[in-house]
Amino acid sequence: QVQLVESGGGSVQAGGALTLSCIANGGSYSAYCMAWFRQAPGKEREGVAVISRSGGHTHYADSVKGRFSISRANAENTHYLQMNDLKPEDTAMYYCAASPRFFSGLATMDPSSFNYWGRGTQVTVSS
């Protein structure tokens, strides 16, 4: 069983930056691909970014490419989402997630492919 806890959310103005962190407890951290999802009110949960077990491969949603960066520190059981040039449409609850599947099967970032979820951290971007 893996427990995930997010931190780092907050309120920023458009053009600002935030870094989200997700620490994992339990399980073998390096055995999981890690991801970030987000869900805005009235919208479905969408994948933002996913990173392979070693950190050598990443995939991003088109809406965040060039602005967001996912990384992980296996020695610290932690992965991150660096968010730059934030826009009001980035406003959402952000969730971290873990999947035991191979990275090649996670490019679509289907939420059903992820077994473990954090409770979320709110990001609000004002114009």
Side-chain angles (χ1 to χ4, degrees):
Q1 192 77 4
V2 177
Q3 293 84 40
L4 302 173
V5 180
E6 304 95 337
S7 62
S11 297
V12 296
Q13 291 190 328
L18 283 173
T19 300
L20 306 183
S21 300
C22 176
I23 188 166
N25 294 301
S28 179
Y29 180 74
S30 60
Y32 295 90
C33 291
M34 307 301 294
W36 289 96
F37 287 77
R38 66 185 181 186
Q39 188 167 19
K43 295 188 177 181
E44 292 186 354
R45 189 168 297 190
E46 64 170 346
V48 175
V50 59
I51 189 166
S52 62
R53 298 170 185 179
S54 68
H57 300 280
T58 57
H59 179 75
Y60 297 91
D62 288 343
S63 58
V64 306
K65 280 181 181 176
R67 300 188 298 121
F68 291 12
S69 178
I70 188 171
S71 61
R72 66 188 294 165
N74 284 356
E76 299 172 1
N77 288 5
T78 303
H79 74 288
Y80 305 93
L81 186 68
Q82 174 67 45
M83 304 185 293
N84 298 322
D85 189 24
L86 283 161
K87 304 177 180 181
E89 51 264 41
D90 294 318
T91 295
M93 185 72 78
Y94 282 71
Y95 300 90
C96 65
S99 173
R101 298 189 181 197
F102 289 110
F103 177 78
S104 58
L106 298 174
T108 60
M109 293 186 281
D110 181 348
S112 67
S113 297
F114 291 80
N115 299 60
Y116 303 103
W117 293 85
R119 293 188 175 185
T121 185
Q122 178 68 37
V123 172
T124 302
V125 185
S126 58
S127 57

